[in-house]
Amino acid sequence: MKTMLTLSKDALELIAERRQSVVIDVPQTVHGCCIEITPCPSVRLGKPRVPDQHSLQQIQGADVFVPHDFPSMLPLSIRARKVLGRKFLAIDGWKLV
């Protein structure tokens, strides 16, 4: 199933510069006595550690490994971030509840 996932211009530039595919790690749900929360999964360049948990999608010309149970109805975007001079990818638009 296709997701409502887009890549920002700065993310596409970073992906092209590094010449690697993008991996969205499988979201891990935290269960409590009264609540259930799924924090935003991390995004990285490379290949999935467990390939059978992901499907490969072409998004705006980039190869993106998306977890099988990734939400398909949320409008999410992968953006490049910079902290202490180091660039990385992150998901924008993720909601905990």
Side-chain angles (χ1 to χ4, degrees), residues 30-51:
V30 177
H31 301 279
C33 64
C34 308
I35 60 170
E36 184 176 293
I37 297 174
T38 305
C40 186
S42 59
V43 181
R44 58 187 171 78
L45 296 170
K47 302 282 182 191
R49 292 180 182 102
V50 185

Side-chain angles (χ1 to χ4, degrees), residues 18-93:
R18 303 275 175 89
R19 296 181 180 182
Q20 291 184 309
S21 54
V22 176
V23 179
I24 300 173
D25 288 327
V26 177
Q28 301 296 316
T29 301
V30 177
H31 301 279
C33 64
C34 308
I35 60 170
E36 184 176 293
I37 297 174
T38 305
C40 186
S42 59
V43 181
R44 58 187 171 78
L45 296 170
K47 302 282 182 191
R49 292 180 182 102
V50 185
D52 62 337
Q53 294 180 342
H54 292 79
S55 61
L56 178 61
Q57 295 183 16
Q58 278 280 326
I59 301 175
Q60 294 169 248
D63 289 341
V64 181
F65 288 94
V66 180
H68 293 304
D69 59 351
F70 197 72
S72 61
M73 299 309 290
L74 294 175
L76 301 172
S77 178
I78 295 177
R79 298 188 181 278
R81 302 278 191 241
K82 191 173 185 179
V83 174
L84 299 173
R86 186 169 182 178
K87 291 182 182 179
F88 64 96
L89 298 173
I91 295 177
D92 191 33

